[in-house]
Amino acid sequence: MAKRTILIHPDPRLKTVAEPVTEITDQLRTLADDMLETMYDAPGIGLAAPQVGVMKRLLVMDCVKEEGEDPRPMVLMNPEVTWTSDEMATYEEGCLSIPDQYADVERPAEVEVGWLGLDGAQHSERFDGLWATCVQHEIDHLDGKLFIDYLKPLKRQMITRKMQKLKREKARA
Ligand code: K1U
Ligand code: ZN
């Protein structure tokens, strides 16, 4: 397993629609392992392949937060939202590609998602709470969408400028 570098916004790869997974290869298994290691190390609760520069429809997540509860690392390929609740929920979201910036985003409170697992089988599950927010945030990444795209243009612009400054400082260091 190896940690991968997480891209920081703005980056054209974070605005690009990722390609479906067509074959489960060892390379893809290694990518999933590396992404889980990168996510836990960050720390984060989710990570999508485009965030590490791989334009494939693959995401990892683990929203178990309770101390003493077993972790639940999940790998979802070609995920599709098949049902959304009418009820909406607002959660203060963050993003590993937009460090230290948080904002309220409203999304469906519950979603049903279908995906291809690393076992080659098709899976389906209903998510609620933080899991529902996280899986929608990660699927957005696969479609080239960031949580700041839900904010008012001025707020989005302010965050983007902060990230440009951060990237300039990192490049100089
Ligand atoms: O996609 C990402 O950039 C990961 C992101 C996922 C996410 C967070 C909040 C709402 C929706 C989706 C993160 O994991 S940001 C870090 C974070 O939220 C966190 C970090 C440590 C403990 C708990 C949460
Ligand atoms: Zn994110």
Side-chain angles (χ1 to χ4, degrees):
M1 292 228 284
K3 259 195 307 160
R4 305 241 179 159
T5 303
I6 298 174
L7 300 178
I8 303 297
H9 166 73
D11 185 295
R13 287 165 287 184
L14 295 173
K15 302 301 295 173
T16 303
V17 178
E19 296 290 332
V21 169
T22 51
E23 198 188 350
I24 303 169
T25 59
D26 284 347
Q27 202 182 7
L28 218 57
R29 290 179 209 282
T30 302
L31 171 68
D33 281 350
D34 289 355
M35 283 174 57
L36 281 167
E37 182 178 346
T38 307
M39 178 192 80
Y40 286 124
D41 178 74
I45 54 172
L47 193 65
Q51 291 180 276
V52 293
V54 179
M55 303 314 297
K56 291 280 178 200
R57 298 188 76 80
L58 184 152
L59 66 87
V60 299
M61 61 177 182
D62 184 350
C63 298
V64 171
K65 278 170 96 185
E66 299 304 316
E67 277 221 9
E69 208 180 316
D70 287 341
R72 191 187 176 206
M74 297 191 74
V75 179
L76 282 65
M77 295 181 287
N78 302 339
E80 300 275 359
V81 175
T82 54
W83 172 85
T84 60
S85 62
D86 291 336
E87 190 198 338
M88 303 293 279
T90 301
Y91 195 88
E92 191 179 52
E93 297 193 17
C95 181
L96 298 175
S97 294
I98 311 177
D100 302 323
Q101 304 299 317
Y102 303 90
D104 281 351
V105 177
E106 188 184 47
R107 301 180 187 270
E110 282 184 66
V111 287
E112 196 163 281
V113 178
W115 73 91
L116 173 68
L118 279 176
D119 57 0
Q122 199 62 31
H123 299 255
S124 179
E125 190 169 323
R126 195 173 281 206
F127 295 100
D128 62 10
L130 183 56
W131 286 92
T133 297
C134 187
V135 75
Q136 291 175 81
H137 175 117
E138 300 309 331
I139 292 173
D140 272 354
H141 274 302
L142 305 181
D143 291 325
K145 192 164 183 175
L146 300 171
F147 82 91
I148 57 170
D149 294 328
Y150 293 95
L151 309 181
K152 294 201 174 93
L154 204 64
K155 172 103 178 157
R156 183 164 62 240
Q157 226 171 58
M158 204 182 74
I159 292 177
T160 298
R161 290 211 177 109
K162 278 190 191 164
M163 292 301 107
Q164 283 166 330
K165 185 162 175 266
L166 176 74
K167 285 178 83 169
R168 277 198 303 273
E169 284 163 1
K170 277 189 171 205
R172 271 204 300 267

Coordinates of all heavy atoms in Angstrom, one line a residue, residues 7-86:
L7 N -4.9 15.9 -5.1 CA -4.9 17.2 -5.9 C -5.7 18.3 -5.2 O -6.7 18.0 -4.5 CB -5.6 17.0 -7.3 CG -5.0 15.9 -8.2 CD1 -5.9 15.8 -9.5 CD2 -3.6 16.3 -8.6
I8 N -5.2 19.5 -5.3 CA -5.8 20.6 -4.7 C -6.5 21.5 -5.7 O -5.9 21.7 -6.8 CB -4.8 21.5 -3.9 CG1 -4.0 20.6 -2.8 CG2 -5.4 22.7 -3.2 CD1 -4.9 20.1 -1.7
H9 N -7.8 21.9 -5.4 CA -8.5 22.8 -6.3 C -7.8 24.1 -6.4 O -7.3 24.6 -5.4 CB -9.9 22.9 -5.7 CG -10.7 24.1 -6.2 ND1 -11.3 24.0 -7.5 CD2 -11.0 25.3 -5.7 CE1 -11.9 25.2 -7.7 NE2 -11.8 26.0 -6.7
P10 N -7.7 24.8 -7.5 CA -8.3 24.4 -8.8 C -7.3 23.5 -9.6 O -6.1 23.8 -9.7 CB -8.5 25.8 -9.5 CG -7.5 26.7 -8.9 CD -7.2 26.2 -7.5
D11 N -7.9 22.5 -10.2 CA -7.1 21.6 -11.1 C -8.1 21.0 -12.1 O -9.2 20.6 -11.7 CB -6.5 20.4 -10.2 CG -5.6 19.5 -11.0 OD1 -6.1 18.8 -12.0 OD2 -4.4 19.5 -10.8
P12 N -7.8 21.1 -13.4 CA -8.7 20.7 -14.4 C -9.2 19.2 -14.2 O -10.4 18.9 -14.6 CB -8.0 20.8 -15.7 CG -6.5 21.1 -15.4 CD -6.5 21.6 -14.0
R13 N -8.4 18.4 -13.6 CA -8.8 17.0 -13.4 C -10.0 16.9 -12.4 O -10.8 15.9 -12.5 CB -7.7 16.1 -12.9 CG -6.6 15.8 -14.0 CD -5.3 15.3 -13.5 NE -4.6 16.4 -12.8 CZ -3.4 16.2 -12.3 NH1 -2.8 15.1 -12.4 NH2 -2.7 17.2 -11.7
L14 N -10.1 17.9 -11.5 CA -11.2 17.9 -10.6 C -12.5 18.4 -11.2 O -13.6 18.4 -10.5 CB -10.9 18.7 -9.3 CG -9.7 18.2 -8.5 CD1 -9.3 19.2 -7.4 CD2 -10.1 16.8 -7.8
K15 N -12.4 18.9 -12.4 CA -13.6 19.4 -13.1 C -14.0 18.5 -14.3 O -14.9 18.8 -15.1 CB -13.4 20.8 -13.7 CG -13.0 21.8 -12.7 CD -14.0 22.1 -11.6 CE -15.3 22.6 -12.1 NZ -16.3 22.7 -11.0
T16 N -13.4 17.3 -14.4 CA -13.6 16.4 -15.5 C -14.4 15.2 -15.1 O -14.3 14.6 -14.0 CB -12.2 15.9 -16.0 OG1 -11.4 17.1 -16.3 CG2 -12.3 15.0 -17.2
V17 N -15.3 14.7 -16.0 CA -16.1 13.5 -15.8 C -15.2 12.3 -15.9 O -14.5 12.2 -16.9 CB -17.3 13.5 -16.7 CG1 -18.1 12.2 -16.5 CG2 -18.2 14.7 -16.6
A18 N -15.2 11.4 -14.9 CA -14.4 10.2 -14.9 C -15.0 9.1 -15.8 O -16.2 9.1 -16.0 CB -14.1 9.7 -13.5
E19 N -14.1 8.2 -16.3 CA -14.5 7.1 -17.2 C -15.0 5.9 -16.3 O -14.3 5.6 -15.3 CB -13.3 6.7 -18.0 CG -12.7 7.7 -18.9 CD -13.6 7.9 -20.1 OE1 -14.4 7.0 -20.5 OE2 -13.6 9.1 -20.6
P20 N -16.0 5.2 -16.8 CA -16.4 4.0 -16.1 C -15.3 2.9 -16.0 O -14.4 2.9 -16.9 CB -17.5 3.4 -17.0 CG -18.0 4.6 -17.8 CD -16.8 5.5 -18.0
V21 N -15.3 2.1 -15.0 CA -14.4 1.0 -14.9 C -15.0 -0.1 -15.7 O -16.2 -0.5 -15.7 CB -14.3 0.5 -13.4 CG1 -13.6 -0.8 -13.3 CG2 -13.7 1.6 -12.5
T22 N -14.1 -0.7 -16.6 CA -14.6 -1.8 -17.5 C -14.0 -3.1 -17.1 O -14.6 -4.2 -17.5 CB -14.2 -1.5 -19.0 OG1 -12.8 -1.2 -19.0 CG2 -15.0 -0.3 -19.5
E23 N -12.9 -3.2 -16.3 CA -12.3 -4.4 -16.0 C -11.7 -4.3 -14.6 O -11.1 -3.2 -14.3 CB -11.2 -4.7 -17.0 CG -10.7 -6.1 -17.1 CD -9.5 -6.3 -18.0 OE1 -9.2 -5.3 -18.7 OE2 -8.9 -7.4 -17.9
I24 N -11.8 -5.3 -13.7 CA -11.2 -5.2 -12.4 C -9.8 -5.8 -12.5 O -9.7 -7.1 -12.6 CB -12.1 -5.9 -11.4 CG1 -13.5 -5.3 -11.4 CG2 -11.5 -5.9 -10.0 CD1 -14.5 -6.1 -10.6
T25 N -8.8 -5.0 -12.5 CA -7.4 -5.4 -12.6 C -6.7 -5.3 -11.3 O -7.2 -4.6 -10.4 CB -6.7 -4.5 -13.7 OG1 -6.8 -3.2 -13.2 CG2 -7.4 -4.6 -15.0
D26 N -5.5 -5.9 -11.2 CA -4.6 -5.7 -10.0 C -4.3 -4.2 -9.8 O -4.2 -3.8 -8.7 CB -3.3 -6.5 -10.2 CG -3.6 -8.0 -10.0 OD1 -4.7 -8.4 -9.5 OD2 -2.7 -8.8 -10.3
Q27 N -4.1 -3.5 -10.9 CA -3.8 -2.1 -10.9 C -4.9 -1.3 -10.1 O -4.7 -0.4 -9.3 CB -3.7 -1.6 -12.3 CG -2.9 -0.3 -12.4 CD -2.8 0.2 -13.8 OE1 -3.4 -0.3 -14.7 NE2 -2.0 1.2 -14.0
L28 N -6.2 -1.7 -10.4 CA -7.3 -1.1 -9.8 C -7.4 -1.5 -8.3 O -7.8 -0.6 -7.5 CB -8.6 -1.6 -10.5 CG -9.7 -0.6 -10.7 CD1 -9.2 0.7 -11.5 CD2 -10.9 -1.2 -11.5
R29 N -7.1 -2.8 -8.0 CA -7.1 -3.2 -6.6 C -6.1 -2.4 -5.8 O -6.3 -2.0 -4.6 CB -6.8 -4.7 -6.4 CG -7.9 -5.6 -6.9 CD -7.4 -7.1 -6.8 NE -8.1 -7.9 -7.8 CZ -9.4 -8.3 -7.8 NH1 -10.1 -8.0 -6.7 NH2 -9.9 -9.0 -8.7
T30 N -4.9 -2.2 -6.4 CA -3.8 -1.4 -5.7 C -4.3 0.0 -5.5 O -4.1 0.6 -4.5 CB -2.5 -1.4 -6.6 OG1 -2.2 -2.8 -6.8 CG2 -1.4 -0.7 -6.0
L31 N -4.9 0.6 -6.6 CA -5.5 2.0 -6.5 C -6.4 2.1 -5.3 O -6.3 3.0 -4.5 CB -6.2 2.3 -7.8 CG -6.9 3.7 -7.7 CD1 -6.0 4.9 -7.6 CD2 -7.8 3.8 -9.0
A32 N -7.3 1.1 -5.2 CA -8.3 1.1 -4.1 C -7.6 1.1 -2.7 O -7.9 1.8 -1.8 CB -9.3 0.0 -4.2
D33 N -6.6 0.2 -2.6 CA -5.9 0.0 -1.3 C -5.2 1.4 -1.0 O -5.2 1.8 0.1 CB -4.8 -1.1 -1.5 CG -5.4 -2.4 -1.3 OD1 -6.5 -2.5 -0.9 OD2 -4.7 -3.4 -1.6
D34 N -4.5 1.9 -2.0 CA -3.8 3.2 -1.8 C -4.7 4.3 -1.4 O -4.4 5.2 -0.6 CB -3.0 3.6 -3.1 CG -1.8 2.7 -3.4 OD1 -1.5 1.8 -2.6 OD2 -1.2 2.8 -4.5
M35 N -5.9 4.3 -2.1 CA -6.8 5.4 -1.8 C -7.4 5.3 -0.3 O -7.5 6.3 0.4 CB -8.0 5.4 -2.8 CG -7.6 6.0 -4.1 SD -8.9 5.8 -5.4 CE -10.3 6.7 -4.6
L36 N -7.6 4.1 0.1 CA -8.1 3.9 1.5 C -7.0 4.4 2.5 O -7.2 5.1 3.5 CB -8.4 2.4 1.8 CG -9.8 2.0 1.3 CD1 -10.0 0.5 1.3 CD2 -10.9 2.6 2.1
E37 N -5.7 4.0 2.2 CA -4.6 4.4 3.1 C -4.5 5.9 3.1 O -4.4 6.6 4.1 CB -3.3 3.8 2.6 CG -2.1 4.2 3.5 CD -0.8 3.6 3.1 OE1 -0.8 2.6 2.3 OE2 0.2 4.1 3.6
T38 N -4.6 6.5 1.9 CA -4.5 8.0 1.8 C -5.7 8.7 2.5 O -5.5 9.7 3.2 CB -4.6 8.4 0.3 OG1 -3.6 7.6 -0.4 CG2 -4.4 9.9 0.0
M39 N -6.9 8.1 2.4 CA -8.1 8.7 3.1 C -7.9 8.6 4.6 O -8.1 9.6 5.3 CB -9.3 7.9 2.7 CG -10.6 8.4 3.3 SD -12.0 7.2 3.0 CE -11.6 5.9 4.2
Y40 N -7.5 7.4 5.1 CA -7.4 7.3 6.6 C -6.3 8.2 7.1 O -6.4 8.7 8.2 CB -7.1 5.8 7.0 CG -8.3 4.9 6.9 CD1 -8.3 3.7 6.1 CD2 -9.5 5.2 7.6 CE1 -9.3 2.9 6.0 CE2 -10.6 4.3 7.5 CZ -10.5 3.2 6.7 OH -11.6 2.3 6.6
D41 N -5.2 8.3 6.3 CA -4.1 9.1 6.8 C -4.4 10.6 6.8 O -3.9 11.4 7.6 CB -2.9 8.9 5.8 CG -1.7 9.7 6.2 OD1 -1.0 9.4 7.2 OD2 -1.4 10.7 5.5
A42 N -5.3 11.1 5.9 CA -5.6 12.5 5.7 C -5.9 13.3 7.0 O -5.2 14.4 7.2 CB -6.6 12.8 4.7
P43 N -6.8 13.0 7.9 CA -7.8 11.9 7.8 C -9.1 12.5 7.1 O -9.4 13.6 7.1 CB -8.1 11.6 9.2 CG -8.0 12.9 9.9 CD -7.0 13.7 9.2
G44 N -9.8 11.5 6.4 CA -11.0 11.8 5.8 C -12.0 10.7 5.9 O -11.6 9.6 6.4
I45 N -13.2 10.9 5.4 CA -14.2 9.8 5.4 C -14.6 9.3 4.0 O -15.3 8.4 3.8 CB -15.5 10.3 6.1 CG1 -16.0 11.6 5.5 CG2 -15.2 10.5 7.6 CD1 -17.4 12.1 6.0
G46 N -13.9 10.0 3.0 CA -14.2 9.5 1.6 C -13.1 10.0 0.7 O -12.3 10.9 1.1
L47 N -13.0 9.4 -0.5 CA -12.0 9.9 -1.5 C -12.4 9.3 -2.8 O -12.8 8.1 -2.9 CB -10.6 9.4 -1.1 CG -9.4 10.0 -1.8 CD1 -9.2 11.5 -1.5 CD2 -8.1 9.3 -1.5
A48 N -12.3 10.1 -3.9 CA -12.7 9.7 -5.2 C -11.4 9.7 -6.1 O -10.5 10.5 -5.9 CB -13.7 10.6 -5.8
A49 N -11.4 8.7 -7.0 CA -10.1 8.5 -7.8 C -9.6 9.8 -8.5 O -8.4 10.0 -8.5 CB -10.3 7.4 -8.8
P50 N -10.5 10.7 -9.0 CA -10.0 11.9 -9.7 C -9.2 12.8 -8.7 O -8.3 13.5 -9.1 CB -11.2 12.6 -10.1 CG -12.2 11.5 -10.3 CD -12.0 10.5 -9.3
Q51 N -9.5 12.6 -7.4 CA -8.7 13.4 -6.4 C -7.2 13.0 -6.3 O -6.4 13.8 -5.8 CB -9.4 13.3 -5.0 CG -10.7 14.0 -4.9 CD -11.3 13.9 -3.5 OE1 -11.9 12.9 -3.2 NE2 -11.1 14.9 -2.7
V52 N -7.0 11.8 -6.8 CA -5.5 11.4 -6.8 C -5.1 11.3 -8.3 O -4.1 10.6 -8.6 CB -5.3 10.0 -6.0 CG1 -5.5 10.2 -4.6 CG2 -6.2 8.9 -6.6
G53 N -5.8 12.0 -9.1 CA -5.4 12.1 -10.6 C -5.7 10.9 -11.4 O -5.2 10.8 -12.6
V54 N -6.6 10.0 -11.0 CA -6.9 8.8 -11.8 C -8.4 9.0 -12.2 O -9.3 9.1 -11.4 CB -6.8 7.5 -11.0 CG1 -7.2 6.3 -11.8 CG2 -5.3 7.3 -10.5
M55 N -8.6 9.1 -13.5 CA -9.9 9.5 -14.0 C -10.8 8.3 -14.3 O -11.4 8.1 -15.3 CB -9.7 10.3 -15.3 CG -8.9 11.6 -15.2 SD -9.3 12.6 -13.7 CE -10.9 13.1 -14.1
K56 N -11.0 7.5 -13.2 CA -11.9 6.3 -13.2 C -13.0 6.5 -12.2 O -12.8 7.2 -11.2 CB -11.0 5.1 -12.8 CG -10.0 4.7 -13.8 CD -10.7 3.9 -14.9 CE -9.7 3.5 -16.0 NZ -10.3 3.1 -17.2
R57 N -14.1 5.8 -12.5 CA -15.3 6.0 -11.6 C -15.2 5.0 -10.4 O -15.8 4.0 -10.3 CB -16.6 5.8 -12.4 CG -16.8 6.8 -13.5 CD -18.1 6.8 -14.1 NE -19.2 7.4 -13.3 CZ -19.4 8.7 -13.2 NH1 -18.6 9.6 -13.8 NH2 -20.4 9.1 -12.4
L58 N -14.3 5.4 -9.5 CA -14.0 4.6 -8.3 C -13.9 5.5 -7.1 O -13.3 6.6 -7.2 CB -12.7 3.8 -8.5 CG -12.3 2.8 -7.4 CD1 -11.5 1.7 -8.0 CD2 -11.5 3.5 -6.2
L59 N -14.6 5.1 -6.0 CA -14.5 5.9 -4.8 C -14.4 5.0 -3.6 O -14.7 3.8 -3.6 CB -15.7 6.8 -4.6 CG -17.1 6.2 -4.4 CD1 -17.4 5.9 -2.9 CD2 -18.2 7.1 -4.9
V60 N -13.8 5.5 -2.5 CA -13.7 4.8 -1.3 C -14.3 5.6 -0.2 O -14.4 6.9 -0.3 CB -12.2 4.4 -0.9 CG1 -11.6 3.5 -1.9 CG2 -11.4 5.7 -0.6
M61 N -14.8 5.0 0.9 CA -15.4 5.7 2.0 C -15.5 4.9 3.2 O -15.5 3.6 3.1 CB -16.7 6.4 1.7 CG -17.8 5.4 1.3 SD -19.4 6.3 1.1 CE -20.5 5.0 0.8
D62 N -15.4 5.5 4.4 CA -15.7 4.9 5.7 C -16.1 6.0 6.6 O -15.3 6.8 7.1 CB -14.4 4.2 6.2 CG -14.7 3.4 7.5 OD1 -15.7 3.6 8.1 OD2 -13.8 2.7 7.9
C63 N -17.4 6.0 6.9 CA -18.0 7.0 7.7 C -18.2 6.6 9.2 O -18.9 7.3 9.9 CB -19.3 7.5 7.1 SG -19.1 8.3 5.5
V64 N -17.6 5.5 9.6 CA -17.7 5.0 11.0 C -16.9 6.0 11.8 O -15.7 6.2 11.5 CB -17.2 3.6 11.1 CG1 -17.1 3.2 12.6 CG2 -18.1 2.6 10.4
K65 N -17.6 6.6 12.8 CA -16.9 7.7 13.6 C -16.8 7.3 15.0 O -15.9 7.8 15.7 CB -17.7 9.0 13.5 CG -17.3 9.8 12.2 CD -18.3 10.9 12.0 CE -17.7 12.2 12.5 NZ -18.7 13.3 12.4
E66 N -17.7 6.4 15.5 CA -17.7 6.0 16.9 C -16.4 5.3 17.3 O -16.0 4.4 16.6 CB -18.9 5.1 17.2 CG -20.3 5.8 16.9 CD -20.5 7.1 17.6 OE1 -20.1 7.2 18.8 OE2 -20.9 8.1 17.0
E67 N -15.8 5.7 18.4 CA -14.7 5.0 18.9 C -15.1 3.6 19.4 O -16.2 3.5 19.9 CB -14.1 5.8 20.1 CG -13.2 6.9 19.6 CD -11.9 7.1 20.5 OE1 -11.7 6.2 21.3 OE2 -11.2 8.0 20.2
G68 N -14.3 2.6 19.1 CA -14.6 1.3 19.5 C -15.4 0.5 18.4 O -15.6 -0.7 18.5
E69 N -16.0 1.3 17.5 CA -16.8 0.6 16.4 C -15.9 0.2 15.3 O -14.9 0.9 15.0 CB -17.8 1.6 15.9 CG -19.1 1.0 15.3 CD -20.0 2.0 14.7 OE1 -20.3 3.0 15.4 OE2 -20.5 1.8 13.6
D70 N -16.1 -1.0 14.7 CA -15.2 -1.5 13.7 C -15.3 -0.6 12.5 O -16.4 -0.2 12.1 CB -15.7 -2.9 13.3 CG -15.3 -4.0 14.3 OD1 -14.5 -3.7 15.2 OD2 -15.9 -5.0 14.3
P71 N -14.1 -0.4 11.8 CA -14.1 0.4 10.6 C -14.9 -0.3 9.5 O -15.1 -1.6 9.6 CB -12.6 0.5 10.2 CG -11.9 -0.4 11.1 CD -12.8 -0.8 12.2
R72 N -15.4 0.4 8.5 CA -16.1 -0.2 7.4 C -15.6 0.4 6.1 O -16.3 1.2 5.5 CB -17.6 0.0 7.6 CG -18.4 -0.9 6.6 CD -19.9 -0.6 6.5 NE -20.4 -1.5 5.4 CZ -21.5 -1.2 4.8 NH1 -22.2 -0.1 5.1 NH2 -22.0 -2.0 3.8
P73 N -14.4 0.0 5.7 CA -13.9 0.5 4.4 C -14.7 0.0 3.2 O -14.9 -1.2 3.1 CB -12.5 0.0 4.4 CG -12.4 -1.2 5.3 CD -13.5 -1.0 6.3
M74 N -15.2 0.9 2.4 CA -16.0 0.5 1.2 C -15.3 1.0 0.0 O -14.8 2.1 -0.1 CB -17.4 1.1 1.3 CG -18.2 0.7 2.5 SD -19.9 1.2 2.4 CE -20.6 0.1 1.2
V75 N -15.4 0.2 -1.1 CA -14.9 0.5 -2.4 C -16.0 0.4 -3.4 O -16.6 -0.7 -3.5 CB -13.7 -0.4 -2.8 CG1 -13.2 0.0 -4.2 CG2 -12.6 -0.4 -1.8
L76 N -16.4 1.5 -4.0 CA -17.5 1.5 -5.0 C -17.0 1.9 -6.4 O -16.4 2.9 -6.5 CB -18.6 2.5 -4.5 CG -19.6 2.2 -3.4 CD1 -18.8 2.0 -2.1 CD2 -20.6 3.3 -3.3
M77 N -17.3 1.0 -7.3 CA -17.0 1.3 -8.7 C -18.3 1.5 -9.5 O -19.3 0.9 -9.3 CB -16.2 0.2 -9.3 CG -14.8 0.0 -8.6 SD -13.8 -1.3 -9.3 CE -14.7 -2.7 -8.7
N78 N -18.2 2.5 -10.5 CA -19.4 2.8 -11.3 C -20.6 3.0 -10.5 O -21.7 2.5 -10.8 CB -19.6 1.7 -12.4 CG -18.4 1.5 -13.3 OD1 -17.5 2.4 -13.4 ND2 -18.3 0.4 -13.9
P79 N -20.5 3.8 -9.4 CA -21.7 4.0 -8.5 C -22.8 4.8 -9.2 O -22.5 5.7 -10.0 CB -21.2 4.7 -7.3 CG -20.0 5.5 -7.8 CD -19.4 4.6 -8.9
E80 N -24.0 4.4 -9.0 CA -25.2 5.1 -9.5 C -26.2 5.4 -8.5 O -26.6 4.4 -7.8 CB -25.9 4.3 -10.6 CG -25.0 3.9 -11.8 CD -25.0 5.0 -12.9 OE1 -25.7 6.0 -12.7 OE2 -24.3 4.8 -13.9
V81 N -26.7 6.6 -8.3 CA -27.8 6.8 -7.4 C -29.1 6.4 -8.1 O -29.4 6.8 -9.1 CB -27.9 8.3 -7.0 CG1 -29.1 8.6 -6.1 CG2 -26.6 8.8 -6.3
T82 N -29.8 5.4 -7.4 CA -31.0 4.8 -8.1 C -32.3 5.4 -7.4 O -33.4 5.1 -7.9 CB -31.0 3.3 -8.0 OG1 -30.8 2.9 -6.6 CG2 -29.9 2.7 -8.8
W83 N -32.1 6.0 -6.3 CA -33.3 6.5 -5.6 C -32.9 7.6 -4.6 O -31.8 7.5 -4.0 CB -34.0 5.4 -4.8 CG -35.2 5.9 -3.9 CD1 -36.5 6.2 -4.3 CD2 -35.1 6.3 -2.5 NE1 -37.2 6.7 -3.2 CE2 -36.3 6.7 -2.1 CE3 -34.0 6.2 -1.6 CZ2 -36.6 7.1 -0.8 CZ3 -34.3 6.6 -0.3 CH2 -35.6 7.1 0.1
T84 N -33.6 8.7 -4.5 CA -33.3 9.7 -3.5 C -34.6 10.0 -2.7 O -35.7 10.0 -3.2 CB -32.8 11.1 -4.1 OG1 -33.9 11.5 -5.0 CG2 -31.6 10.9 -5.0
S85 N -34.4 10.3 -1.4 CA -35.6 10.7 -0.6 C -36.0 12.1 -0.9 O -35.2 12.9 -1.4 CB -35.2 10.6 0.9 OG -34.2 11.6 1.2
D86 N -37.3 12.4 -0.7 CA -37.8 13.8 -0.8 C -37.3 14.6 0.3 O -37.0 15.8 0.1 CB -39.4 13.8 -0.7 CG -40.0 13.2 -2.0 OD1 -39.3 13.1 -3.0 OD2 -41.1 12.7 -1.9

